[in-house]
């Protein structure tokens, strides 16, 4: 097993001369006076905060497609896969020809990922999935390593616990830096391949800053969600639209009393 020392990489490295791309959520429910409406909103929130690792059928009216034949693994590019920790088995990685594994969890969450071969490269990004975590410090180095492996003809698998927040954020950073995608386009691309992704709001803000540093622009903005009484990325608006409609209906019912 070739394990990479993350501390040996220059975390301060920034991209110079980048051209413009080609054309973060811990939900806090608002206290509700009406129990039924409050329960409906809370149920919607919990469903969005804790999506299943693998969804069947459709999610938020997005068809499931471009998945690998192996359950739980999402093929983002011909040489890049995304999944949760439980799906990262030796048999699966051997079938996909994985040569580089990136584990975006702390040692208290998951043990080291079992590797398919002795010469498989391995990298752990020890970051928790919370609003205080600084994942941006790893965006450049992880993107560089994925690109290096790709150019060498290798296959990269990125995972965290569920394949929803941390690992998805690292893949977003890679698409932005090396495939010259805007944050919005990169998010839509991965969302199409793996509908359950939803980086926490803090990570989205860090990706927004990353996009600003790369290209001098931002394609994602924060919008206020009344139902949660907090700001959310506009790319999450379709997911919370039903919740917002329930909240507005509740407010109208209160006003009539």
């Amino acid at each position: 097993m070739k394990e990479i020392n993350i501390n040996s990489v220059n975390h301060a490295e920034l991209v110079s001369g980048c051209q413009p791309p080609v054309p973060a959520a811990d939900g806090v429910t608002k206290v509700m006076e009406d129990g039924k409406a409050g329960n409906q909103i809370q149920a919607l929130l919990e469903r969005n905060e804790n999506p299943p690792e693998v969804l069947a059928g459709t999610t938020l009216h997005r068809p499931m497609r471009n998945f690998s034949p192996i359950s739980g693994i999402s093929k983002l590019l011909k040489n890049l896969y995304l999944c949760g920790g439980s799906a990262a088995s030796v048999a699966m990685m051997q079938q996909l020809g994985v040569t580089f594994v990136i584990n975006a969890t702390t040692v208290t969450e998951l043990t080291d990922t079992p590797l398919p071969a002795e010469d498989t490269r391995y990298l752990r990004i020890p970051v928790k999935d919370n609003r205080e975590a600084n994942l941006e410090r790893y965006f450049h180095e992880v993107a560089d390593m994925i690109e290096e492996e790709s150019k060498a003809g290798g296959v990269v698998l990125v995972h965290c616990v569920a394949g929803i927040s941390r690992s998805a954020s690292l893949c977003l950073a890679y698409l932005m830096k090396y495939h010259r995608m805007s944050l919005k386009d990169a998010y839509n691309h991965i969302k199409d391949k793996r509908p359950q992704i939803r980086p926490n709001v803090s990570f989205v803000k860090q990706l927004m800053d990353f996009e600003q540093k790369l290209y001098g622009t931002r394609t994602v903005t924060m919008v206020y969600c009344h139902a949660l009484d907090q700001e959310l990325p506009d790319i999450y608006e379709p997911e919370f639209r039903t919740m917002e409609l329930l909240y507005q209906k509740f407010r109208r019912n209160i006003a009539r009393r």
Side-chain angles (χ1 to χ4, degrees):
M1 176 179 75
K2 296 182 179 179
E3 184 164 356
I4 301 167
N5 182 2
I6 196 69
N7 296 318
S8 67
V9 186
N10 182 6
H11 294 173
E13 180 185 13
L14 294 176
V15 172
S16 59
C18 286
Q19 298 299 317
V22 177
D26 293 323
V28 179
T29 55
K30 190 175 182 67
V31 177
M32 311 297 288
E33 297 175 12
D34 183 284
K36 183 177 180 181
N39 290 337
Q40 288 177 305
I41 292 176
Q42 179 63 29
L44 283 169
L45 174 60
E46 291 176 352
R47 187 171 62 190
N48 281 281
E49 282 295 323
N50 302 289
E53 181 179 321
V54 181
L55 301 180
T58 59
T59 302
L60 304 172
H61 307 294
R62 289 177 177 270
M64 298 283 279
R65 53 181 176 271
N66 296 316
F67 277 68
S68 80
I70 305 174
S71 178
I73 310 299
S74 301
K75 183 176 182 179
L76 307 185
L77 300 169
K78 67 178 182 179
N79 58 347
L80 180 61
Y81 291 85
L82 171 63
C83 71
S86 62
S89 67
V90 170
M92 175 277 295
M93 288 186 280
Q94 289 175 338
Q95 184 172 337
L96 297 178
V98 172
T99 58
F100 185 19
V101 177
I102 299 175
N103 176 354
T105 69
T106 63
V107 293
T108 58
E109 295 176 293
L110 291 179
T111 59
D112 285 332
T113 311
L115 302 179
E118 290 185 1
D119 61 347
T120 302
R121 299 175 68 194
Y122 180 72
L123 172 67
R124 181 187 286 272
I125 303 296
V127 173
K128 293 183 177 181
D129 186 11
N130 58 42
R131 65 178 63 190
E132 289 79 27
N134 181 3
L135 189 61
E136 184 179 4
R137 65 189 294 237
Y138 299 108
F139 286 166
H140 280 295
E141 61 198 66
V142 170
D144 293 346
M145 291 177 183
I146 294 174
E147 181 67 5
E148 177 187 354
E149 193 72 14
S150 173
K151 286 185 174 180
V155 176
V156 182
L157 174 71
V158 187
H159 78 83
C160 51
V161 172
I164 290 174
S165 183
R166 286 167 287 188
S167 53
S169 297
L170 293 172
C171 291
L172 285 166
Y174 169 71
L175 292 179
M176 291 164 63
K177 181 173 181 178
Y178 281 103
H179 289 262
R180 299 185 63 238
M181 291 186 185
S182 67
L183 174 54
K184 180 171 287 187
D185 287 344
Y187 176 81
N188 288 334
H189 174 81
I190 297 181
K191 185 77 170 177
D192 184 63
K193 313 293 185 182
R194 188 173 180 83
Q196 63 265 46
I197 70 158
R198 193 166 64 84
N200 77 51
V201 173
S202 176
F203 292 163
V204 176
K205 290 180 178 179
Q206 292 172 40
L207 286 163
M208 290 166 63
D209 291 340
F210 187 63
E211 181 180 34
Q212 180 70 41
K213 292 172 184 176
L214 285 175
Y215 303 120
T217 187
R218 292 175 185 245
T219 57
V220 173
T221 58
M222 301 299 292
V223 296
Y224 182 71
C225 176
H226 293 84
L228 298 180
D229 193 22
Q230 65 172 292
E231 287 189 328
L232 296 172
D234 60 2
I235 51 178
Y236 290 171
E237 187 177 1
E239 300 183 25
F240 289 95
R241 188 172 297 147
T242 301
M243 186 183 300
E244 191 74 4
L245 290 173
L246 278 173
Y247 175 78
Q248 296 299 335
K249 181 179 179 180
F250 167 76
R251 297 290 296 177
R252 288 194 297 270
N253 289 339
I254 291 295
R256 294 192 189 103
R257 295 178 183 177

